[in-house]
Amino acid sequence: MSTGLNFRGIELRDFPAEIARLALIIAEFQCDVLYRGQKEALADFLPLDSQNWITCGNALQLDWVDLWGTSGSPVKVKSDDLFGTPLDQSEIDFEHQGGETYICGNPPFKGTRKQERQEKEDLERVFSSLTTQWKNVDYVGAWLMKAAMYNEVCHAPFAFVTTNSLCQGQQVPITWKILLDRGFRIRFAHTSFKWSNLAANKAGVTVIVTGVDREPGGIRRIFTDESVREVANINPYLTDHTISVVPASKKPKWTKIPMEYGVYYSKSAGLMFDADEKSALLKDGVPETMVRRFIGSTEFINGKLRYCLWIDDSEVEYARRFPAVCERIDSVRKDRLETTDEAVNKLAARPHQFRERKGDDGRKIFVPIVSSENREFFPAGLVGDSVIPTNKAFYIPEGPLWALAIISSKLHLAWIEAICGRLEMRLSYSNTLGWNTFPLPPSGLTQQHMADLTRCAEDILLAREAHFPATIADLYDPEEMPENLRHAHERNDEVLERIYIGRRFRNDTERLEKLFELYTRMTSAKAA
């Protein structure tokens, strides 16, 4: 083009590659009409210069240096770059020294659980030499890593539209830690927003935009909706706080109170039933002790009823005397034997139970995994031994009520909004990231602190009970929240926040600043 720009790209499929080439031809013609005039533009209309072309292939399998050379400002190349790939100096093209190269793109969006075999192989190709956790990487993370590898031989700031999960949860300690360790920093970012295309079947997805370079100084910008803020730092969670990575922890860092995952129930359909089926089983004489409520996030928040058989090994022979129970147990055994999963095949030996036998504690704090981002407070609760949490929830067995007060607080909500992942825009709780890493007061909780917080938790539970049979969804509707429940939460926040700083925090920004500062200080002290 007369502007001196070169456009190159990679497209996986043939037809989209041809469309992209045509788009470049049209774009070149439009630029030439604007800057050179229509006559000159028509004279040079075809063919498109070979420098401005689209390669059809898998971007994660192609060598970007081979395709594009280093048409921008080269960096000092070592014989072995930071990513461990040997570089042949003779193959590196420094012809266009002084130019600028920018990489941008919109990679495919696939989380780790939705990736197919080929996509896992692509991730292994890119990440296996960098981390043993490559199987847990979001597919889009590979594009950031390929761009970073290209930057080993050419200064080329890069920006990608990705799913917002890339800057949440376990993706930060994997992908972003590798980038940060190699000197890359976020130059600009657009926080989460809904994005849909113009196709007949609109693909709605929650995305972010991150722009990355290796320049240490300069202004950085965070875009949110219609506003933009200039900041000195942007961390991988897309805030300006001075923290880099909060890795998941298998155990709580600052308390001995564990939060456990609920019961996994795949290939156990025969053990579960609704309220009508429960009534039929009890009418047939099945003891109530063999029936429990079996709930996850959805059931807890929306008040839905679901039940399960809860049969101890010593009760199997007696349970099989009831034809309906025997039929259900046999159906589970059949389902487990028919699957190709060997671990599930082994579970066919005890078809009267789920994979785990846990969660029937006398009292437990119930923590839903998914909750609406519109709720002002996080709706954890308290349940008894008649409720078994599914693996769509977490729970603290025999948990103290002061722990419920902390989990229900705005302080904890600010932490999980920043550190845990999201499902679209909804909060997605994680025990290894949310509870296990949450910085408790560094001096610890005194007996008086725990007593005060226990009273706050009791007040929240009593306020909910006063509105029975309203569901959690009803009670925590931002527009309809009962005044006594809101007051109980506000009192809880005041008590907890005064323990941390002697007063209420002004906003979530101040809450996060304090939590990040505490986390950094406490982890450094623990390491020392």
Side-chain angles (χ1 to χ4, degrees), residues 140-153:
V140 294
W143 268 262
L144 273 78
M145 206 56 58
K146 288 285 285 189
M149 292 174 178
Y150 185 76
N151 269 261
E152 298 301 328
V153 295

Side-chain angles (χ1 to χ4, degrees), residues 11 43-44 55 67 167 173 206 220 238 241 249 313 345 350 371 392 396 432 435 467 470 494 508 514 526:
E11 170 55 49
D44 281 341
T55 300
L67 283 180
C167 286
T206 303
R220 303 173 194 276
L238 304 190
H241 302 100
S249 175
D313 290 339
N345 292 156
R350 52 182 184 90
S371 175
K392 305 300 182 184
I396 298 178
T432 59
W435 175 250
H467 298 278
E494 181 170 353
D508 279 347
K514 182 62 178 179
K526 193 172 184 179

Side-chain angles (χ1 to χ4, degrees), residues 1 6 9 56 59 75 121 143 191 213 215 266 276 295 370 388 441:
M1 292 183 186
N6 289 323
C56 185
V75 298
E121 290 177 357
W143 268 262
T191 57
D213 62 23
E215 298 299 321
S266 178
D276 290 338
I295 64 173
V370 180
I388 306 296

Side-chain angles (χ1 to χ4, degrees), residues 62 111 278 289 326 345 361 376 438 447 507:
L62 296 171
K278 172 203 170 187
T289 56
C326 188
N345 292 156
D361 309 86
E376 192 175 346
F438 180 72
Q447 290 297 319
N507 49 44

Side-chain angles (χ1 to χ4, degrees), residues 114-385:
K114 295 183 179 180
Q115 294 160 7
E116 298 175 0
R117 179 179 177 182
Q118 179 60 63
E119 288 149 350
K120 286 295 186 187
E121 290 177 357
D122 291 340
L123 287 176
E124 182 177 16
R125 182 188 299 268
V126 175
F127 278 96
S128 60
S129 64
L130 306 173
T131 175
T132 58
Q133 296 178 291
W134 59 266
K135 290 182 180 179
N136 296 325
V137 176
D138 275 6
Y139 198 45
V140 294
W143 268 262
L144 273 78
M145 206 56 58
K146 288 285 285 189
M149 292 174 178
Y150 185 76
N151 269 261
E152 298 301 328
V153 295
C154 174
H155 175 69
F158 53 94
F160 291 100
V161 179
T162 73
T163 44
N164 62 347
S165 60
L166 192 72
C167 286
Q168 299 167 359
Q170 66 176 343
Q171 300 305 311
V172 174
I174 304 175
T175 302
W176 283 105
K177 186 177 187 306
I178 295 172
L179 293 171
L180 293 174
D181 287 348
R182 286 155 176 80
F184 292 96
R185 296 293 183 269
I186 299 175
R187 174 63 54 186
F188 65 87
H190 197 302
T191 57
S192 297
F193 62 97
K194 282 280 190 179
W195 188 28
S196 61
N197 58 31
L198 300 177
N201 298 317
K202 289 188 176 182
V205 63
T206 303
V207 300
I208 55 173
V209 182
T210 52
V212 181
D213 62 23
R214 266 180 167 170
E215 298 299 321
I219 296 297
R220 303 173 194 276
R221 293 179 174 86
I222 299 177
F223 297 82
T224 303
D225 297 328
E226 302 299 322
S227 66
V228 57
R229 289 190 299 125
E230 292 189 351
V231 297
N233 175 68
I234 303 177
N235 61 48
Y237 302 101
L238 304 190
T239 74
D240 60 345
H241 302 100
T242 53
I243 195 169
S244 55
V245 171
V246 177
S249 175
K250 292 183 178 180
K251 296 180 179 180
K253 282 180 171 291
W254 326 117
T255 177
K256 294 182 179 180
I257 299 173
M259 182 182 289
E260 299 187 18
Y261 206 35
V263 174
Y264 184 79
Y265 59 89
S266 178
K267 299 299 179 183
S268 304
L271 300 180
M272 299 177 289
F273 40 87
D274 60 24
D276 290 338
E277 291 170 310
K278 172 203 170 187
S279 297
L281 287 173
L282 296 181
K283 188 176 180 180
D284 288 344
V286 177
E288 282 200 56
T289 56
M290 292 186 183
V291 176
R292 307 289 174 94
R293 280 192 68 189
F294 193 57
I295 64 173
S297 301
T298 300
E299 293 81 11
F300 175 75
I301 290 174
N302 296 304
K304 293 183 178 180
L305 298 177
R306 182 168 64 168
Y307 299 88
C308 71
L309 288 173
W310 198 252
I311 302 170
D312 189 75
D313 290 339
S314 62
E315 300 173 318
V316 178
E317 185 176 345
Y318 176 69
R320 279 189 170 276
R321 295 179 185 178
F322 302 97
V325 173
C326 188
E327 183 180 342
R328 287 178 174 277
I329 292 174
D330 289 341
S331 72
V332 172
R333 181 176 182 277
K334 181 175 180 291
D335 288 345
R336 292 177 179 178
L337 287 175
E338 288 178 349
T339 182
T340 57
D341 188 325
E342 293 184 5
V344 177
N345 292 156
K346 293 179 180 178
L347 292 176
R350 52 182 184 90
H352 59 287
Q353 292 177 347
F354 297 104
R355 187 175 74 178
E356 299 100 352
R357 176 76 172 176
K358 62 180 184 179
D360 53 357
D361 309 86
R363 186 183 78 172
K364 46 196 165 285
I365 296 172
F366 188 98
V367 183
I369 288 181
V370 180
S371 175
S372 170
E373 74 281 4
N374 295 321
R375 296 191 178 105
E376 192 175 346
F377 304 96
F378 189 74
L382 192 69
V383 296
D385 60 359

Side-chain angles (χ1 to χ4, degrees), residues 63-64 155 408:
D63 188 319
W64 294 9
H155 175 69
S408 302

